[in-house]
Amino acid sequence: MIQFLNENAAGLFEKSIEHFFISMISLGIGILIAVPIGLFLAKNKRLSNMVLTTAGVLQTVPTIALLALMIPLFGVGKTPAIIALSVYILLPILNNTVIGVQNIDSNVKEAGKSMGMTNFQMMKSIDLPLALPLIMSGIRLASVYVISWATLASYIGAGGLGDFVFNGLNLYDPLMIVSAAVLVTALALIADYLLSLVEKMTIPKGLKISR
Amino acid sequence: MLSIKGLTKVYGRKTKAVDNLSIEIEDGEFVAFIGTSGSGKTTALRMLNRMIEPTDGVVTINGMETKKMDPVELRRKIGYVLQQVGLLPHMTIKENIVLVPKLLKWPQERKDEKAKELIKLVDLPESFLDRYPSELSGGQQQRIGVVRALAAEQDIILMDEPFGALDPITRDTLQDLVKELQKKLGKTFVFVTHDMDEAIKLADKICIMSHGKVVQYDTPDNILKNPANDFVRDFIGENRLIQDRPNMKTVEKAMIIPKTVNIDDSLDHAVSIMREYRIDTILITNKSQKLLGYLDIEDIKEGVRKKAELIDIMQRDIYRVNINSKLQDSVRTILKRNVRNVPVVEDDNKLVGLITRASLVDIVYDSIWGDDEEVQTSDPSKDIGVDI
């Protein structure tokens, strides 16, 4: 085992970085798409229900099938993998954004409106900051998902720790599979920890104080 | 001047929430819309700043039709105080106060100055400016809610039952404060309430509404002297009686378990129980706990002197309330009849509890201070007896 690690340390490290990179890019794209859409969708209960249900149904498409579907559209490599993973994590973020906004105390929204805030100002100064705790928990959930699914992205040539897993499967080398799996878990934990720091920084102070 | 002509709001096809409301409000007047729930008073108020779009009618502010203004601009010109305050929890008190000035893009110094000036106006320390709403009590929050509506130097302030969610003492202080502010600043205040005493206390003019229509619009004095019709008369009467009652539904929550003796017991036994629990009245029941009467200290003196039996000297004429009756009714009885206590019975006259003046004091105490600190429950031995 020591020997295996000695021989593959550089490779494992490089693949871990690659894995992390793919996951975080996908997560970033997912956030950039899902949060604004969620903020808009939350204004309309019927529409948001429809969209969330549809997204929920699409979520049941197996990851590997979605990745395979990307090949005819975008070829192989990192790009199709990132696209597929971004699509995949839309739901948890979208869902939490919509719920977060819809759960805001109606008196607060009422106050904003009665003070003469425009819809955009309400979204920026009321909806987003007050829904942020829920949005952040959606993002943390999504980060764990995306890191685990990124393993499969190696299947369409995106690289990452999935390479070790698939090689291990082909060569029947359990050590290879296990070491990659442990690293994926470690990455997920690291990402979750980093995001918890982000969460602490971004959530408005007034929401954390309770009498 | 705020002039309202033919203001109407129709929901669906038929339901007229507000029906052809026409009144004139002079500058600097304090006007109350009052009515039962569903009378359309809140709808009327909210149409003034177009939080609700009127179906018909014209509202003009100093000759300008609100219909022709941008609703966002309009709302920035009119202060609005909500019943549930609605401070933005993620902003400091200062940011909350200068919300509208910020929307109007005032320079920072002017905003700071305004925030300091306003917080002084409502008797709160300047250090509160950097706190968050959750660090303030309900009454303090509503003070901020009121000055928030004044921050952009609005000439018209709308208030939707602004004191409804506060306890009686806080409400009273805030009413005084708002009245004082209104006199000092000379702004037009329009507020909605269902509390006649509040309306009489604060308003220069009261607009009594029922089913979306104005029943009477006049000064409080004139309304009290010459109510327009029976509705107004009832409304004044009823509300003046109901106001400020502890907010508890049935007597069950307020009652205590009384000390009783059986009808067959000896007088000495009754006396020893009364002495043991230091009570001056004792209730008398039969074996199945049905209430038969009571004895008080005077009766007992008499009885002991005459060497009579308990059954002969007990008072059978006793006012009682049903367990399902409202607390406010028993309060009225206790106050009006000047009795010390009222037994609580079930439908079959079975004794289940007792309302005393002391337990009412406890309720009032709880409703005012109960949230802040653990209320010390009285000595259990006293709880079961009839306190004086």
Side-chain angles (χ1 to χ4, degrees):
Chain A
M1 183 171 142
I2 307 261
Q3 194 197 348
F4 169 82
L5 287 180
N6 273 338
E7 280 169 14
N8 292 289
L12 280 171
F13 182 72
E14 191 185 314
K15 290 293 176 190
S16 298
I17 299 292
E18 191 173 43
H19 194 104
F20 196 70
F21 172 77
I22 295 170
S23 309
M24 289 303 118
I25 298 269
S26 310
L27 185 65
I29 293 173
I31 293 170
L32 286 180
I33 297 173
V35 172
I37 292 181
L39 290 177
F40 275 102
L41 273 184
K43 304 272 172 207
N44 187 330
K45 250 205 159 115
R46 262 182 58 190
L47 187 67
S48 64
N49 277 341
M50 259 163 54
V51 172
L52 288 180
T53 314
T54 319
V57 170
L58 289 179
Q59 195 81 11
T60 59
V61 176
T63 325
I64 197 113
L66 187 72
L67 286 165
L69 280 172
M70 291 291 135
I71 297 176
L73 294 172
F74 304 102
V76 293
K78 288 194 174 53
T79 318
I82 288 174
I83 293 172
L85 291 174
S86 310
V87 170
Y88 237 74
I89 56 162
L90 287 181
L91 182 70
I93 304 177
L94 195 63
N95 197 32
N96 278 33
T97 310
V98 170
I99 293 173
V101 173
Q102 286 176 349
N103 279 354
I104 296 172
D105 181 3
S106 59
N107 289 305
V108 173
K109 292 189 200 177
E110 178 99 318
K113 193 181 171 195
S114 69
M115 299 290 127
M117 281 189 170
T118 61
N119 278 337
F120 177 73
Q121 284 164 337
M122 298 259 293
M123 226 179 261
K124 194 186 92 190
S125 323
I126 294 183
D127 293 355
L128 182 63
L130 291 182
L132 206 58
L134 262 178
I135 297 178
M136 278 309 297
S137 77
I139 291 175
R140 283 173 71 172
L141 188 68
S143 78
V144 175
Y145 284 173
V146 79
I147 286 172
S148 96
W149 291 329
T151 319
L152 294 172
S154 139
Y155 178 73
I156 58 168
L161 287 166
D163 286 357
F164 276 92
V165 176
F166 284 109
N167 279 343
L169 282 173
N170 290 336
L171 301 173
Y172 193 65
D173 184 350
L175 200 55
M176 221 178 215
I177 302 175
V178 170
S179 51
V182 168
L183 282 173
V184 169
T185 314
L187 282 184
L189 288 175
I190 292 170
D192 193 56
Y193 174 71
L194 290 178
L195 285 171
S196 76
L197 293 184
V198 175
E199 190 174 339
K200 274 204 190 106
M201 284 187 307
T202 50
I203 289 180
K205 199 174 153 216
L207 296 186
K208 288 184 265 186
I209 297 172
S210 53
R211 270 208 302 163
Chain B
M1 192 171 85
L2 183 63
S3 143
I4 303 166
K5 279 199 194 96
L7 197 64
T8 303
K9 179 70 192 179
V10 183
Y11 284 115
R13 288 260 171 100
K14 276 186 193 158
T15 333
K16 281 191 173 173
V18 175
D19 190 0
N20 201 11
L21 173 82
S22 300
I23 58 171
E24 307 261 302
I25 298 170
E26 299 291 334
D27 283 347
E29 253 180 351
F30 205 137
V31 174
F33 284 173
I34 190 165
T36 49
S37 54
S39 59
K41 55 191 195 295
T42 300
T43 312
L45 185 84
R46 289 162 63 91
M47 281 195 283
L48 298 183
N49 68 349
R50 290 177 64 189
M51 290 288 282
I52 294 176
E53 289 294 339
T55 312
D56 204 3
V58 183
V59 179
T60 55
I61 298 172
N62 299 329
M64 292 246 289
E65 273 190 46
T66 56
K67 231 188 306 190
K68 292 178 182 155
M69 296 161 83
D70 174 25
V72 167
E73 296 291 320
L74 175 70
R75 285 178 208 137
R76 288 179 188 174
K77 281 188 189 140
I78 298 179
Y80 193 80
V81 182
L82 291 86
Q83 180 181 11
Q84 302 296 341
V85 194
L87 296 182
L88 310 191
H90 58 300
M91 293 185 183
T92 60
I93 297 305
K94 186 201 228 157
E95 289 167 322
N96 268 291
I97 293 178
V98 296
L99 198 66
V100 184
K102 190 183 160 205
L103 295 174
L104 294 171
K105 302 204 166 62
W106 284 18
Q108 189 62 43
E109 300 125 51
R110 193 169 165 209
K111 281 190 285 185
D112 290 349
E113 214 172 283
K114 195 78 202 174
K116 280 182 192 164
E117 174 195 328
L118 287 174
I119 201 148
K120 244 177 253 158
L121 212 56
V122 287
D123 305 326
L124 291 176
E126 253 177 49
S127 62
F128 272 38
L129 288 175
D130 296 322
R131 297 205 186 173
Y132 286 94
S134 57
E135 297 172 287
L136 269 58
S137 71
Q140 290 166 340
Q141 290 192 21
Q142 189 57 296
R143 281 165 193 248
I144 303 300
V146 171
V147 289
R148 178 175 65 178
L150 300 167
E153 290 162 6
Q154 295 95 331
D155 293 324
I156 299 172
I157 317 292
L158 308 179
M159 300 196 286
D160 184 5
E161 301 201 27
F163 315 116
L166 303 171
D167 65 74
I169 289 183
T170 314
R171 187 189 311 157
D172 215 48
T173 344
L174 260 174
Q175 285 170 348
D176 291 340
L177 183 79
V178 165
K179 183 73 194 167
E180 200 188 300
L181 279 182
Q182 190 261 349
K183 273 186 194 153
K184 194 156 47 174
L185 303 171
K187 298 186 188 242
T188 310
F189 276 61
V190 183
F191 82 109
V192 161
T193 181
H194 56 257
D195 180 347
M196 197 63 186
D197 283 270
E198 183 171 288
I200 291 170
K201 179 175 174 183
L202 295 177
D204 299 323
K205 269 184 167 180
I206 297 176
C207 176
I208 299 178
M209 292 183 69
S210 170
H211 301 291
K213 288 191 173 146
V214 179
V215 184
Q216 191 169 12
Y217 179 53
D218 212 332
T219 61
D221 276 356
N222 285 344
I223 288 179
L224 289 175
K225 270 184 224 147
N226 312 307
N229 55 25
D230 286 347
F231 174 81
V232 177
R233 209 168 289 127
D234 285 351
F235 198 76
I236 298 169
E238 192 186 51
N239 274 276
R240 308 212 78 190
L241 286 174
I242 288 176
Q243 57 106 19
D244 279 6
R245 285 282 157 63
N247 196 9
M248 208 171 293
K249 283 182 189 91
T250 62
V251 294
E252 196 174 354
K253 288 194 182 133
M255 69 191 192
I256 57 172
I257 306 298
K259 210 63 204 158
T260 61
V261 286
N262 197 282
I263 182 93
D264 297 320
D265 284 338
S266 68
L267 198 55
D268 286 346
H269 181 63
V271 171
S272 72
I273 290 179
M274 289 168 76
R275 176 177 280 173
E276 186 185 343
Y277 293 104
R278 303 173 57 78
I279 53 182
D280 68 345
T281 309
I282 194 156
L283 297 172
I284 296 158
T285 59
N286 66 9
K287 278 193 182 108
S288 48
Q289 286 295 311
K290 303 261 164 87
L291 178 65
L292 298 175
Y294 71 93
L295 272 180
D296 73 19
I297 207 97
E298 303 295 329
D299 302 323
I300 285 175
K301 257 192 231 160
E302 189 98 346
V304 170
R305 198 156 45 84
K306 289 184 187 162
K307 295 199 158 57
E309 277 307 317
L310 184 150
I311 191 164
D312 298 320
I313 56 165
M314 73 176 200
Q315 307 259 6
R316 288 168 193 273
D317 179 16
I318 181 166
Y319 183 85
R320 60 200 83 185
V321 291
N322 191 280
I323 182 128
N324 295 320
S325 59
K326 283 186 181 141
L327 185 61
Q328 58 191 49
D329 299 327
S330 34
V331 172
R332 190 177 305 161
T333 309
I334 290 179
L335 296 180
K336 271 195 182 165
R337 299 196 175 201
N338 201 20
V339 293
R340 291 206 191 93
N341 47 65
V342 180
V344 180
V345 293
E346 279 177 1
D347 288 334
D348 58 4
N349 197 27
K350 188 177 163 203
L351 179 70
V352 286
L354 184 75
I355 301 279
T356 66
R357 288 194 163 211
S359 53
L360 294 177
V361 170
D362 283 348
I363 292 158
V364 174
Y365 189 87
D366 279 358
S367 74
I368 299 169
W369 293 285
D371 293 340
D372 289 341
E373 53 197 298
E374 190 92 3
V375 177
Q376 212 179 343
T377 43
S378 50
D379 188 339
S381 66
K382 273 195 175 175
D383 248 352
I384 48 176
V386 181
D387 282 335
I388 302 162

